C-alpha cells in the first residue's frame, strides 16, 4: 500500500468512471467479455484497497444494488479477476482468496433448497451485504475527512516573531499541604514518642530558638539577655523568647553568663566543653 | 492595573507568538494580580478575544476556536496565494491511511483488529506510525480480551489540525446499526430521525457520485 | 484583477503564515498575471506593506524590516506577558527534599545528623543546597558537640513564600495525623479527637496517649 502517485491517480480516475489508463488512453467502458489488458488490470488492482473494495467496484460497475446482489454473477466475475491476478503472478493478498471462498460458500448455500420453516433463517448474503455497506460508508467518510480543511494544506496558522525575553527559571512551588504530608510520613516512619517529646515546645518556641541562635552567632560575642526581648510582642512574645532561651541553654546551643549576682545576663555562643 | 485595550494587545501578542492554539486559562495566567486589580482574568481575556474577533473581521487572518484553544489563522480564501510561499506541498494521504483514520475517528476506541475487520485487509504498521507521528492518533488503553490489544483514539491535535472544537462537528458516519435495524427482527424499524440520509437513498446512489 | 485591499490582505496573510522574513520579491511572486493586470507586482506589494505598517501602529505586533525581508513581530513591550507563555514548567521537589524541609521547619534548629536520625537515611548535600539557594533555610549556629555540626533553621523568606506570619500558623504536629487523614492519599491514622485542642493542653498529654 504505497502512496505512489500513480495509484492515487488511478483511484481518482476510477471515481470518474474511468476503467483504466493504457498508454495515456482512457478506457471508460468495460469490455463485454471482461477482458482487461494486463497492464490496465495491474493499475486497477493496485488501486483497490482490498477484496471488499474490489467487490464493491464490481457491484457498482453493474449498477447493482448492494441489497440485491446476484451472488452467482458477482462471484463469477470476482473469481475471474482472481484468476487473472494469479496468472499475472501479482502478489495476491490472502484476504482476496478468503473472500473468494466466502463468495463460493454463499453461492452454494443459496443453491440449496430453502427450508419451508418460518424461523426466518438469515439470508446467507446478509453478512456480506452488511460488510459491504459498512465499507462503503467508510470510504465515503474517508473522502469527507480528506475534504475537510486541514492545517498546513488548506489552513495556515498566523504567527509573528517572538519578542526577546529572558527565560525565567521557574522554581517549584510547594503547597503547605505537601509539607504537612511529608512530615507526617517521615514521622510515621520514625520514633513517634521521641518526636513528640521534642515537639513539646511548640513551633513559636522552635522558631524563636533559630532567631536567637542566628542573632547570637551573628554578633559573634555577647548579646545582652534583655536585648533579645521585644516588649512590643507583649506578654506572650516574652514567654516564647524565654522558653526558647531555656531550651537553647538546655540543649547547650548557647551559654547564659552572668559575671556577678544581679549584673546583666549575657547570651553567647557555647564554649567548647569537654563532654563527660 | 492595565486597561482593556492593553489586555487586548497582550492577548493578540500572545496568540501571535504562541506555537499553537492557546487556551483561555493559559491566556488568563499571563496576567498578574497587579495587572488585574479586582477584575477576573478570564473575563478580561474573553473580552479581549471578542474585541480581536471583531478587529480581524475582513482582514487576511481570523481568530478561530479549536479544541485546545484559540489561534489566529490565515483566512482560507487566501490559501491559494499563501500556499505559493511554501515549496514543500502538504503530504497527500493514501486512501488506506484515510480509511484507517476515518475508522479511528468514528469508531474510537478501536483496535487494529477492528479496523482490519471493516476494511477487509491488514493495517500496515507504517500507516499507524504515520498517524501517530502526525499526532492525530494515540493509544488510549487496551481491550480486556485475550492478547489485550491496544485501543486507539484521536487526539486533541487531530481536532486542532482539522479546525474542529469537538468530534461532534464532523459529518455523521451513517450508523452501522441501521442495517441491522432494517434487516433484523423488527424489519420495519424507522431510521433514526437524526440520520441525514435514509439508508435506502445511500444504497441507490448512482455509481458516478461515489 | 485584485484590488489594493485584497492585495494588502494577501500580503498580510503571507507574512503571518511564513516562518521567517519574506522578501519583496517573494511576496511579488505570489501574484499571478491575472491578479495583476497591467500593474507591477512589486509596486502592489510595496503599497500593501505601507498600508500594513500603518495598520499595525499601536497594536500588539508591528511590521519590521530585516535583512532578508519583512516580518511581523510581537512588540517588545509585551515581552513580560508573552514570555510567560514559554516559561518552563516548574519541576517538582522530591519527597526527600520535602521531608527534610518539614523536619527543619518543625524541629529547628537541627543538624543534618538530627534529620538523618529521623528519616533513617543520609541527607544529600544537594537537598540542603537547594533549600539554601531557595532561601528557605539558613545556618543559624553550630552545636557544641564533637564535629561542631551546623544547625539549620528556617528564614523569613520561607514564611513569606508560604504566606505565613509566623510558624505558629502551621498546624501543630499533633494535628498532623488528622491532617493527613483528610488530605493525604495513604493515611491510615484516625483523626485524633483532640485535634482542635490548644497547644498548651496537648503539651500536657502523656506521650503514650497520642
Amino acid at each position: 500500500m504505497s502512496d505512489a502517485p500513480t495509484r492515487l491517480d488511478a483511484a481518482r480516475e476510477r471515481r470518474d468512471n474511468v476503467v483504466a489508463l493504457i498508454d495515456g488512453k482512457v478506457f471508460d467502458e468495460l469490455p463485454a467479455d471482461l477482458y482487461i489488458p494486463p497492464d490496465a488490470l495491474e493499475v486497477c488492482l493496485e488501486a483497490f484497497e482490498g477484496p471488499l473494495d474490489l467487490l464493491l467496484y464490481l457491484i457498482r460497475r453493474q449498477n447493482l444494488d448492494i441489497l440485491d446482489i446476484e451472488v452467482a454473477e458477482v462471484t463469477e466475475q470476482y473469481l475471474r479477476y482472481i484468476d487473472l491476478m494469479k496468472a499475472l503472478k501479482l502478489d495476491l493478498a490472502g484476504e482476496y482468496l478468503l473472500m473468494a471462498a466466502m463468495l463460493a460458500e454463499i453461492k452454494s448455500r443459496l443453491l440449496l433448497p430453502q427450508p419451508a420453516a418460518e424461523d426466518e433463517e438469515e439470508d446467507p448474503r446478509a453478512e456480506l451485504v452488511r460488510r459491504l455497506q459498512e465499507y462503503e460508508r467508510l470510504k465515503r467518510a474517508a473522502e469527507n475527512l480528506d475534504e475537510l480543511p486541514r492545517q498546513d494544506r488548506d489552513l495556515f496558522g498566523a504567527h509573528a516573531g517572538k519578542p526577546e525575553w529572558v527565560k525565567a527559571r521557574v522554581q517549584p512551588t510547594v503547597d503547605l499541604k505537601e509539607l504537612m504530608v511529608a512530615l507526617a510520613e517521615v514521622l510515621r516512619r520514625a520514633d513517634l514518642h521521641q518526636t513528640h517529646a521534642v515537639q513539646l515546645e511548640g513551633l513559636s518556641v522552635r522558631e524563636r530558638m533559630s532567631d536567637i541562635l542566628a542573632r547570637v552567632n551573628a554578633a559573634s560575642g555577647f548579646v545582652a539577655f534583655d536585648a533579645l526581648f521585644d516588649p512590643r510582642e507583649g506578654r506572650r512574645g516574652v514567654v516564647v523568647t524565654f522558653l526558647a532561651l531555656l531550651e537553647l541553654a538546655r540543649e547547650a546551643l548557647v551559654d547564659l553568663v552572668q559575671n556577678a549576682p544581679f549584673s546583666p545576663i549575657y547570651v553567647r555562643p557555647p564554649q567548647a566543653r569537654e563532654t563527660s | 492595573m492595565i486597561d482593556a485595550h492593553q489586555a487586548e494587545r497582550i492577548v493578540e501578542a500572545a496568540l501571535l507568538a504562541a506555537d499553537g492554539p492557546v487556551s483561555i486559562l493559559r491566556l488568563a495566567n499571563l496576567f498578574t494580580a497587579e495587572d488585574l486589580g479586582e477584575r477576573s482574568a478570564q473575563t478580561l481575556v474573553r473580552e479581549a478575544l471578542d474585541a480581536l474577533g471583531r478587529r480581524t473581521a475582513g482582514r487576511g487572518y481570523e481568530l478561530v476556536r479549536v479544541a485546545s484553544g484559540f489561534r489566529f489563522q490565515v483566512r482560507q480564501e487566501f490559501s491559494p496565494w499563501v500556499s505559493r510561499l511554501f515549496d514543500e506541498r502538504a503530504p497527500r494521504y493514501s486512501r488506506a491511511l484515510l480509511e484507517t483514520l476515518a475508522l479511528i475517528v468514528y469508531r474510537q476506541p478501536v483496535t487494529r483488529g477492528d479496523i482490519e475487520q471493516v476494511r477487509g485487509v491488514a493495517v500496515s504498521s507504517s500507516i499507524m506510525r504515520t498517524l501517530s507521528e502526525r499526532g492525530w492518533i494515540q493509544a488510549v488503553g487496551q481491550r480486556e480480551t485475550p492478547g489485550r490489544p491496544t485501543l486507539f483514539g484521536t487526539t486533541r491535535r487531530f481536532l486542532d489540525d482539522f479546525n474542529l472544537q469537538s468530534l461532534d462537528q464532523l459529518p455523521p458516519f451513517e450508523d452501522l446499526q441501521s442495517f441491522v435495524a432494517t434487516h433484523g427482527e423488527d424489519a420495519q424499524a424507522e431510521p433514526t430521525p437524526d440520520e441525514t440520509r435514509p439508508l435506502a437513498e445511500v444504497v441507490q446512489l448512482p455509481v458516478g457520485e461515489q
Side-chain angles (χ1 to χ4, degrees), chain A, chain B:
Chain A
M1 290 178 203
S2 70
D3 293 347
T6 53
R7 203 185 52 81
L8 275 171
D9 291 342
R12 211 151 284 122
E13 297 292 351
R14 197 158 51 78
R15 229 176 271 155
D16 300 328
N17 247 5
V18 171
V19 171
L21 272 171
I22 302 155
D23 295 333
K25 208 173 150 203
V26 172
F27 285 71
D28 57 5
E29 218 172 84
L30 265 185
D33 60 358
L34 255 182
Y35 172 77
I36 300 175
D39 294 359
L41 182 67
E42 192 163 353
V43 172
C44 265
L45 286 177
E46 284 198 348
F48 290 117
E49 288 298 328
L52 285 170
D53 201 21
L54 171 56
L55 206 52
L56 207 55
Y57 168 75
L58 293 174
I59 292 165
R60 291 303 184 205
R61 282 305 317 162
Q62 309 280 303
N63 237 333
L64 289 177
D65 191 320
I66 296 181
L67 288 176
D68 200 24
I69 315 171
E70 283 297 333
V71 176
E73 177 66 22
V74 167
T75 305
E76 197 78 357
Q77 293 185 13
Y78 185 88
L79 290 177
R80 266 195 269 174
Y81 268 82
I82 300 298
D83 286 345
L84 263 171
M85 285 195 255
K86 280 185 192 160
L88 291 166
K89 296 198 168 44
L90 288 180
D91 199 9
L92 196 56
E95 294 94 348
Y96 284 94
L97 300 175
L98 206 65
M99 176 60 76
M102 185 182 170
L103 286 171
E105 201 229 326
I106 294 171
K107 195 172 115 183
S108 63
R109 279 176 66 191
L110 285 171
L111 290 174
L112 290 175
Q114 293 282 30
E118 287 286 297
D119 63 359
E120 286 201 25
E121 201 202 334
E122 209 189 0
D123 186 329
R125 292 174 299 180
E127 171 64 12
L128 179 63
V129 166
R130 189 193 63 76
R131 289 187 66 188
L132 284 169
Q133 284 187 317
E134 198 189 4
Y135 183 68
E136 190 167 48
R137 288 185 200 128
L138 175 62
K139 273 179 70 172
R140 192 174 303 116
E143 283 164 20
N144 287 341
L145 210 55
D146 198 27
E147 279 162 20
L148 285 182
R150 190 192 302 162
Q151 195 68 23
D152 295 337
R153 185 189 65 178
D154 318 290
L155 306 170
F156 302 94
H159 301 286
K162 294 169 188 170
E164 285 172 23
W165 77 88
V166 184
K167 199 158 212 167
R169 202 166 136 227
V170 181
Q171 301 276 20
T173 53
V174 177
D175 189 85
L176 205 50
K177 271 187 284 189
E178 288 180 82
L179 204 57
M180 301 295 105
V181 171
L183 182 68
E185 179 59 29
V186 69
L187 292 183
R188 202 163 64 199
R189 297 202 310 261
D191 178 354
L192 285 172
H193 296 270
Q194 189 193 351
T195 310
H196 280 196
V198 174
Q199 198 52 45
L200 295 184
E201 297 86 14
L203 278 169
S204 51
V205 175
R206 288 269 145 200
E207 182 179 21
R208 188 59 52 93
M209 285 165 70
S210 286
D211 289 348
I212 293 172
L213 259 190
R215 278 180 68 182
V216 167
N217 283 299
S220 66
F222 295 84
V223 175
F225 185 80
D226 297 357
L228 294 171
F229 293 87
D230 183 353
R232 284 171 302 180
E233 290 183 339
R235 176 188 288 267
R236 191 167 177 280
V238 170
V239 171
V240 166
T241 304
F242 188 67
L243 287 174
L245 277 169
L246 289 183
E247 184 61 27
L248 284 171
R250 191 178 70 78
E251 291 183 25
L253 295 173
V254 296
D255 285 345
L256 299 177
V257 292
Q258 190 176 31
N259 289 333
F262 306 111
S263 66
I265 300 171
Y266 289 95
V267 183
R268 67 171 189 202
Q271 310 298 302
R273 273 175 292 217
E274 283 178 29
T275 43
S276 50
Chain B
M1 279 272 287
I2 54 171
D3 63 20
H5 179 232
Q6 182 87 339
E8 180 193 324
R9 295 187 303 162
I10 289 169
V11 171
E12 182 178 50
L15 289 177
L16 285 170
D19 297 316
V22 191
S23 68
I24 289 189
L25 190 67
R26 251 179 98 204
L27 289 169
N29 282 338
L30 301 183
F31 297 98
T32 63
E34 203 183 317
D35 294 336
L36 293 166
E38 298 297 301
R39 293 166 301 178
S40 137
Q42 296 213 11
T43 308
L44 198 68
V45 167
R46 275 176 222 280
E47 286 167 3
L49 289 169
D50 278 352
L52 289 170
R54 286 192 301 273
R55 178 171 291 276
T56 51
R59 298 303 310 162
Y61 63 110
E62 62 194 327
L63 182 67
V64 295
R65 178 176 206 159
V66 291
S68 39
F70 288 82
R71 71 164 171 237
F72 283 125
Q73 176 173 291
V74 167
R75 279 181 199 277
Q76 217 184 323
E77 60 186 292
F78 300 116
S79 290
W81 287 273
V82 169
S83 55
R84 286 183 203 131
L85 271 182
F86 304 105
D87 301 330
E88 248 179 71
R89 310 213 74 193
R92 302 194 79 126
Y93 290 119
S94 66
R95 256 180 65 194
L97 181 139
L98 289 166
E99 287 180 8
T100 302
L101 176 62
L103 258 179
I104 296 173
V105 168
Y106 282 96
R107 290 288 154 79
Q108 58 187 300
V110 288
T111 64
R112 276 175 74 149
D114 296 338
I115 299 166
E116 288 171 1
Q117 211 179 356
V118 177
R119 296 196 57 238
V121 284
V123 173
S124 84
S125 297
S126 80
I127 283 180
M128 298 303 280
R129 200 169 48 242
T130 303
L131 289 171
S132 289
E133 281 169 1
R134 194 75 172 77
W136 287 347
I137 67 166
Q138 63 184 347
V140 292
Q142 284 166 327
R143 183 172 288 156
E144 290 305 323
T145 50
R148 294 173 50 85
T150 306
L151 289 162
F152 292 93
T154 52
T155 59
R156 200 171 265 264
R157 171 76 186 271
F158 165 80
L159 295 173
D160 289 346
D161 280 1
F162 282 77
N163 223 28
L164 302 166
Q165 283 174 53
S166 82
L167 288 175
D168 290 351
Q169 296 178 314
L170 285 173
F173 185 98
E174 282 90 349
D175 194 348
L176 165 68
Q177 296 309 314
S178 58
F179 175 78
V180 179
T182 43
H183 295 264
E185 300 143 49
D186 49 350
Q188 304 317 315
E190 287 172 33
T192 47
D194 54 343
E195 256 185 292
T196 47
R197 256 180 279 179
L199 184 62
E201 262 184 64
V202 174
V203 173
Q204 281 156 24
L205 274 182
V207 172
E209 270 193 41
Q210 279 183 54

